[in-house]
């Protein structure tokens, strides 16, 4: 009696789809990281600097929370 363990090979369409999915996830992470930088900078500004650009601390936090 012969017992052979089945081996699964990844076929080209599946491999390409996984590659595209991985690339899309990496691109999404890069976009989120780029978008977070200006929000961090605004969050570090003091009240005077925010008033110079016409934004209150409450408006800033509302916008930051809205985009999370």
């Amino acid at each position: 009696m012969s017992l052979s363990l089945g081996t699964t090979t990844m076929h080209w369409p599946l491999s390409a789809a996984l590659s595209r999915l991985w690339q899309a996830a990496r691109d999404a992470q890069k976009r989120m990281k780029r978008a977070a930088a200006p929000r961090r900078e605004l969050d570090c500004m003091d009240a005077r600097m925010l008033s110079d650009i016409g934004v209150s601390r409450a408006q800033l936090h509302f916008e930051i929370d809205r985009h999370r």
Side-chain angles (χ1 to χ4, degrees), residues 1-67:
M1 181 166 135
S2 170
L3 176 66
S4 63
L5 297 174
T7 59
T8 304
T9 58
M10 198 176 298
H11 299 287
W12 173 252
L14 179 59
S15 175
L18 289 175
S19 177
R20 286 191 305 271
L21 181 63
W22 180 254
Q23 185 65 38
R26 287 179 56 207
D27 291 344
Q29 181 199 24
K30 287 178 186 178
R31 283 192 306 272
M32 290 184 336
K33 191 173 182 177
R34 256 182 282 160
R39 288 194 294 264
R40 277 193 309 270
E41 288 181 32
L42 285 169
D43 200 29
C44 292
M45 290 183 174
D46 62 0
R48 184 189 58 78
M49 293 173 77
L50 288 174
S51 69
D52 286 347
I53 60 172
V55 177
S56 71
R57 180 70 57 189
Q59 289 170 323
L60 173 66
H61 285 289
F62 175 78
E63 291 297 325
I64 288 173
D65 291 339
R66 188 175 76 150
H67 292 287

